[in-house]
Amino acid sequence: MRTYKHLKRRQENHLRLLCSLGLDWRVLMPDLFQALRTLVPFPQASFVCYNDRLQGLDGFSDWSFPNAEDVQALLVSEYYQKDRMQELFLSGREIAKLPLISRSEQWLRVGWHEYLAHEFYRCITQPSQMHHHLHLRLMNKDGIIGILTINRPSSEAGFSKSEEDTLWRLIPFLTRAMEQPVSEWRNNWVDVEQGLIVFESAKVLYADGLAPKLLDYALERRQQTGRGWYIPPLNPLLQQILKTLAEKLPARIDDDADAEPAIVRRCNRWGRFEFRARWLEAAAVGKSGIYAATIHRLAPLPLCFSIGLKNQPLSLRESQVALALALGDSHAKIADKLNISERTVIGHSQHIYNKLKVANRVELVAALISG
């Protein structure tokens, strides 16, 4: 029991650290959802950012169900555009008066059984395999920032009281993460994830476990299927990227296996991505035309270091100090940032070095990047 509580505390500290980085929420979202899942398991989630009139402005989803695009199109065309949502659901003003954490039943104008018999449930909710919902309303003094919804299918148990209690503790940190202004780290982006695909011309022949997810972010789709991540075989943007990679590989001699890779870079609101391609077998390139490409997700240094701190045996305060040390902040600046004394910072620093078995900042940075 003690080990379980210690692990949950460490997972919660990791999420709090992510929320305190001051980075654009779009860049944080993949890791933020992953961290949230370790505390309150769920297969599907979404975040919608609202204006002061509760009109959706932007969002992120990692829904996991077949025919997601068809269901989404039906939702927009038949319910949003025709205002049919008002038949079943409260208005924005009424939703704003609900508790910060609410269940799907609280959003309804009708009874739960009437909702389950309605065509909205049969055509939208049921096909998307969503049944249990928790809605977290993130608000600051100026009003609603957004609503984070986590979902479970009917085949799983609903959300427990202890899971709700965990989310209550996290709401202030999630709110802080979503309201941060965009910060630019122009020259400090490093690899945090990579996947592998094998392709011929513009057709994907193979993708490892992580590549489809990274492609999803790079192509700005962020959709899944019930069988896992899925690469549309005829995605125009992906076809263009693969075609460009093949064209960039110069017609060098067949045995030049050490040739530099062809690179295509993508930068969007979800981060930065690089496609680096080589011939799969240089000697056979003229015959097969089969290539291998690694897809790299790049992240700002603070996020990279935070990921490296995830499994380290540090308290939240020690993780905050370790992050600042790795970023090159002076002891005085760290003390001012965390509102603690410089002597306390020095004490934390020594404990961090001892726990991680490093001697200085250089070794700390190396440990976090490799960890």
Side-chain angles (χ1 to χ4, degrees):
M1 178 63 72
R2 182 177 180 182
T3 303
Y4 173 77
K5 288 183 177 179
H6 181 74
L7 176 62
K8 297 292 284 188
R9 188 181 304 113
R10 183 182 295 180
Q11 292 168 340
E12 192 168 325
N13 286 344
H14 172 62
L15 189 142
R16 292 184 181 188
L17 185 65
L18 289 176
C19 292
S20 68
L21 294 179
L23 297 173
D24 183 2
W25 63 267
R26 298 166 185 82
V27 176
L28 279 179
M29 264 305 183
D31 299 286
L32 205 59
F33 269 30
Q34 184 177 345
L36 192 59
R37 273 192 175 92
T38 63
L39 294 163
V40 181
F42 56 86
Q44 307 166 11
S46 64
F47 171 74
V48 179
C49 185
Y50 291 94
N51 62 13
D52 56 359
R53 290 176 292 175
L54 286 179
Q55 296 173 322
L57 301 176
D58 201 351
F60 176 96
S61 68
D62 65 347
W63 288 355
S64 173
F65 60 91
N67 304 316
E69 294 181 2
D70 294 339
V71 172
Q72 183 71 14
L74 182 63
L75 175 64
V76 172
S77 62
E78 288 299 315
Y79 291 92
Y80 284 148
Q81 292 183 2
K82 297 182 180 180
D83 294 327
R84 295 183 62 195
M85 300 290 284
Q86 296 177 5
E87 299 174 10
L88 297 175
F89 299 99
L90 302 179
S91 67
R93 289 181 178 273
E94 292 169 318
I95 290 173
K97 297 177 182 178
L98 292 176
L100 291 181
I101 297 181
S102 55
R103 296 177 181 264
S104 52
E105 298 92 322
Q106 295 173 272
W107 286 50
L108 295 175
R109 293 190 181 280
V110 300
W112 180 245
H113 293 290
E114 183 178 347
Y115 168 71
L116 296 180
H118 196 276
E119 62 176 3
F120 181 89
Y121 182 82
R122 291 186 286 103
C123 298
I124 304 295
T125 307
Q126 198 170 37
S128 62
Q129 301 176 359
M130 296 184 296
H131 186 82
H132 306 291
H133 315 262
L134 277 186
H135 308 282
L136 282 66
R137 188 157 45 90
L138 309 181
M139 297 185 63
N140 60 16
K141 57 182 175 57
D142 298 321
I144 291 182
I145 299 171
I147 294 176
L148 192 156
T149 301
I150 58 177
N151 312 291
R152 285 178 181 164
S154 56
S155 58
E156 297 183 10
F159 296 97
S160 67
K161 179 64 167 58
S162 63
E163 289 175 326
E164 283 197 42
D165 292 341
T166 298
L167 293 170
W168 272 107
R169 293 196 302 271
L170 296 175
I171 281 181
F173 301 95
L174 292 168
T175 301
R176 180 182 178 187
M178 302 307 176
E179 67 181 351
Q180 289 295 331
V182 175
S183 57
E184 181 66 27
W185 288 75
R186 293 176 183 167
N187 301 315
N188 294 286
W189 292 69
V190 294
D191 283 2
V192 292
E193 291 179 301
Q194 76 174 59
L196 172 71
I197 62 172
V198 176
F199 65 98
E200 182 177 15
S201 183
K203 179 182 178 182
V204 175
L205 303 178
Y206 166 80
D208 70 3
L210 194 56
K213 184 188 77 169
L214 298 181
L215 277 173
D216 208 52
Y217 291 126
L219 303 178
E220 298 188 81
R221 290 184 296 111
R222 304 177 308 286
Q223 296 289 351
Q224 297 178 341
T225 71
R227 296 182 179 178
W229 294 88
Y230 168 67
I231 306 176
L234 299 177
N235 182 283
L237 179 55
L238 177 59
Q239 284 187 314
Q240 182 58 47
I241 290 172
L242 297 182
K243 181 181 177 181
T244 302
L245 287 172
E247 291 174 349
K248 281 192 172 186
L249 285 167
R252 298 176 178 174
I253 57 175
D254 287 352
D255 61 354
D256 190 5
D258 296 325
E260 289 296 318
I263 297 177
V264 170
R265 294 181 173 87
R266 287 275 299 159
C267 183
N268 58 42
R269 57 184 179 168
W270 306 107
R272 299 185 183 184
F273 306 87
E274 285 188 1
F275 295 78
R276 305 171 192 170
R278 293 180 183 272
W279 295 314
L280 189 61
E281 293 181 5
V285 65
K287 299 179 181 179
S288 68
I290 297 177
Y291 309 95
T294 50
I295 307 115
H296 298 256
R297 175 186 164 221
L298 283 65
L301 268 179
L303 180 54
C304 175
F305 290 152
S306 297
I307 294 172
L309 284 165
K310 178 179 179 180
N311 296 316
Q312 301 296 347
L314 303 177
S315 67
L316 177 58
R317 179 63 83 196
E318 288 172 340
S319 294
Q320 291 171 330
V321 172
L323 175 62
L325 289 171
L327 292 173
D329 292 346
S330 67
H331 288 160
K333 184 175 181 180
I334 297 172
D336 182 62
K337 182 188 297 185
L338 300 179
N339 196 27
I340 56 179
S341 70
E342 193 169 343
R343 182 184 296 274
T344 302
V345 172
I346 295 172
H348 281 313
S349 303
Q350 192 59 53
H351 290 150
I352 292 166
Y353 293 158
N354 290 339
K355 287 183 176 181
L356 302 189
K357 296 180 173 57
V358 297
N360 50 48
R361 295 189 190 219
V362 175
E363 292 184 8
L364 173 63
V365 169
L368 297 186
I369 290 179
S370 63

